[in-house]
Amino acid sequence: AEQLVESGGDSVQVGGSLKLSCTASGFSFPDADKGWYRSGKGDGCELLATISPTGSAYYGNSAKGRFTISQDNAKSTVYLQMDSLKAEDTATYYCAASTGPTVGRWTRKPCVRIGYGMDFWGKGTPVSISS
């Protein structure tokens, strides 16, 4: 079965950095789009970044200049490096992936809700930023 498992969420202070990881199994990782999303309390959800099978990255407004998405096909893992963290970055962070005919369909689409859009979703990892 397809699975995505996030890790790396933590509590850090404003201005700090975190690197989230998401390890995939059960599908062809190199051929998939991957994305990072987040959902805060009552805030809906937000697309942070996506990366295509060729490594082309797209960033949402909140992530531009502070977050970097990358992937390691040998480890079937996608990463989100987050720098200059702000209190408003506090949220649960989710990774997602799309394969086959849906590749390219969701990489620039706004998040509607967690679990909608890309084919597979992880369960999330919490990030808390304190001042």
Side-chain angles (χ1 to χ4, degrees):
E2 301 87 358
Q3 192 173 21
L4 294 168
V5 180
E6 302 97 337
S7 61
D10 204 347
S11 296
V12 298
Q13 291 194 320
V14 169
S17 297
L18 275 177
K19 187 171 185 177
L20 306 182
S21 301
C22 173
T23 300
S25 60
F27 62 93
S28 179
F29 182 88
D31 298 323
D33 285 330
K34 302 90 178 175
W36 283 99
Y37 298 79
R38 70 184 179 190
S39 179
K41 288 185 179 179
D43 285 345
C45 66
E46 183 178 13
L47 167 63
L48 296 172
T50 60
I51 189 165
S52 73
T54 61
S56 177
Y58 172 82
Y59 293 94
N61 288 336
S62 295
K64 286 178 184 175
R66 297 192 300 130
F67 296 178
T68 304
I69 190 170
S70 62
Q71 61 188 348
D72 185 335
N73 288 336
K75 295 182 179 180
S76 294
T77 300
V78 59
Y79 304 98
L80 186 68
Q81 175 68 45
M82 306 190 293
D83 299 315
S84 302
L85 285 162
K86 306 174 182 179
E88 51 264 42
D89 293 320
T90 295
T92 298
Y93 286 67
Y94 299 85
C95 72
S98 276
T99 64
T102 59
V103 167
R105 183 177 298 173
W106 300 104
T107 51
R108 294 173 181 249
K109 295 266 194 326
C111 184
V112 175
R113 64 178 181 272
I114 298 299
Y116 177 85
M118 288 204 174
D119 297 327
F120 316 121
W121 290 76
K123 294 183 179 180
T125 186
V127 170
S128 177
I129 312 301
S130 60
S131 56

